[in-house]
Amino acid sequence: MENTRTVTPNSAKNSIKHALKKKRPIFLWGAPGIGKSEIVEQICNTFSNSHLIDIRLSLWEPTDIKGIPYFDSNSGTMVWGAPSELPSEEFAAQFDHIILFLDEMNSAAPSVQAAAYQLILNRRVGTYKLPDNVMIVAAGNREADKGVTYRMPAPLANRFIHLELAVSFDDWFQWSVVNNINTDVVGYLTFAKKDLYDFDPRSSSRSFATPRSWSFVSELLEDELDENTTTDLVAGAVGEGLAVKFMAHRKVASSMPNPSDILAGKVKELKTREISAMYSLTVSLCYELKEACDAGDKMFDDKVNNFLRFAMDNFDTELVVMGIKLALTQYALPIDPDEVDCFDEFHERYGKYIKAANSI
């Protein structure tokens, strides 16, 4: 694919939603593990009374799309039995919107793509017709990603609006907040953003870092395992090199003070100055503040005050700025200047950064 223009996940969502409203099929290109399927699912959830039909087209045969013929003894003719995976008019009537997601489309055999071409181009194949409220999104890996792919026929490609997805740390961070990704993972990647994604199609490594594989790491850290087992599993998810770096970061981060004690005002001084661990601590403090806010904690303003006071007394300017940006933009914390004792001092020292962060 020669088109080099790329879009971030959030930009892709806006483009896809607009195209779907116009009943224009979208093809989402991108490397493995960067969240193509997740994006389509999130878009579907934004529509009222919606339903997602997720089809891995690489596993289908042509007859899975067109159906199979059988003899109708009443009419004395051969008729086509439509596949049950495709929505009937009766099924579609239950929803306002249906997204038919044809994943791994260019990994499907040419004969399957040919059958899909009729469905996408004419919204019908054989005697089957797509209901009017069905919208089509397809996705696949690029040829350069060294996966199993077949060149898409030009007439089929011309039917789609094509978007090529790029990895964006900021978009991933927003997703991580909503999905409660482990703070050690978020903290490490906030410090080492380039390690969010290191897929190299020329490498022989079976494990590599992608947004998807880091979510695996987050899940693995939910259980208390010994260090060797954890390292083995993390290496199996993101590769040995990153596993060693991440586990070293996690070991230092564990020596940091408890974020709850900092927000309660019990800890005012930071003794460990390892920079990646300080990033993790900042993320953890924002996590704790968000939980306090969501729970309607009456001490929320005091905790914000302790957060800002601790940051001013212990962090370099860069980290202070990152912390307030996370709190205001990513976590959308409702910080009230009139209720935070040290806010005037904070504003005097960092006011221009607060404005840059679209703050209060």
Side-chain angles (χ1 to χ4, degrees), residues 12-256:
K13 292 175 193 175
N14 293 332
S15 298
I16 293 171
K17 286 173 66 176
H18 185 73
L20 291 180
K21 289 178 181 178
K22 297 295 183 181
K23 294 288 183 73
R24 295 300 177 191
I26 284 277
F27 198 106
L28 192 58
W29 298 85
I34 62 175
K36 298 185 291 295
S37 301
E38 181 81 19
I39 287 173
V40 176
E41 183 178 351
Q42 291 174 14
I43 290 172
C44 187
N45 291 337
T46 65
F47 289 108
S48 61
N49 189 28
S50 61
H51 181 71
L52 175 65
I53 300 175
D54 188 343
I55 294 175
R56 304 287 162 152
L57 211 58
S58 59
L59 303 178
W60 277 33
E61 300 289 339
T63 53
D64 293 331
I65 297 177
K66 189 175 182 180
I68 58 174
Y70 65 91
F71 180 71
D72 183 352
S73 58
N74 293 325
S75 63
T77 60
M78 297 295 291
V79 296
W80 289 89
S84 60
E85 288 89 344
L86 296 178
S88 65
E89 289 286 354
E90 182 180 3
F91 178 83
Q94 303 174 63
F95 305 97
D96 294 331
H97 306 92
I98 293 178
I99 292 182
L100 178 61
F101 180 39
L102 305 176
D103 201 4
E104 301 175 358
M105 183 169 182
N106 60 329
S107 296
S111 57
V112 177
Q113 291 191 39
Y117 168 70
Q118 298 178 42
L119 184 67
I120 294 162
L121 180 64
N122 303 318
R123 293 184 62 85
R124 65 186 308 152
V125 58
T127 58
Y128 173 78
K129 181 178 180 299
L130 271 180
D132 290 339
N133 62 336
V134 175
M135 304 170 287
I136 297 175
V137 180
N141 295 332
R142 304 160 301 183
E143 292 180 15
D145 296 325
K146 302 300 183 182
V148 177
T149 59
Y150 298 90
R151 183 173 295 275
M152 186 180 297
L156 177 57
N158 190 241
R159 183 59 179 172
F160 285 105
I161 295 173
H162 298 268
L163 297 176
E164 184 164 337
L165 194 64
V167 176
S168 164
F169 173 80
D170 290 339
D171 288 6
W172 177 84
F173 189 96
Q174 290 181 19
W175 175 87
S176 74
V177 171
V178 175
N179 289 273
N180 296 316
I181 297 299
N182 184 278
T183 54
D184 283 344
V185 172
V186 178
Y188 172 75
L189 292 176
T190 302
F191 168 72
K193 295 180 176 65
K194 64 181 178 60
D195 289 343
L196 174 62
Y197 177 77
D198 75 345
F199 172 63
D200 182 356
R202 296 167 297 181
S203 172
S204 60
S205 175
R206 292 185 293 269
S207 304
F208 48 89
T210 66
R212 177 168 59 199
S213 59
W214 279 113
S215 71
F216 296 164
V217 172
S218 177
E219 293 172 357
L220 295 170
L221 298 179
E222 291 175 358
D223 301 315
E224 291 295 331
L225 303 173
D226 64 85
E227 185 174 350
N228 284 337
T229 301
T230 302
T231 303
D232 290 343
L233 291 170
V234 173
V238 297
E240 183 177 359
L242 287 185
V244 172
K245 289 170 59 179
F246 173 73
M247 292 302 291
H249 155 83
R250 193 168 184 242
K251 186 173 183 179
V252 177
S254 67
S255 67
M256 287 296 205

Side-chain angles (χ1 to χ4, degrees), residues 313-335:
D313 292 345
N314 294 280
F315 294 161
D316 292 336
T317 298
E318 179 183 357
L319 202 54
V320 175
V321 172
M322 189 203 81
I324 194 64
K325 283 186 176 181
L326 290 182
L328 293 171
T329 59
Q330 304 289 14
Y331 291 91
L333 296 177
I335 297 177

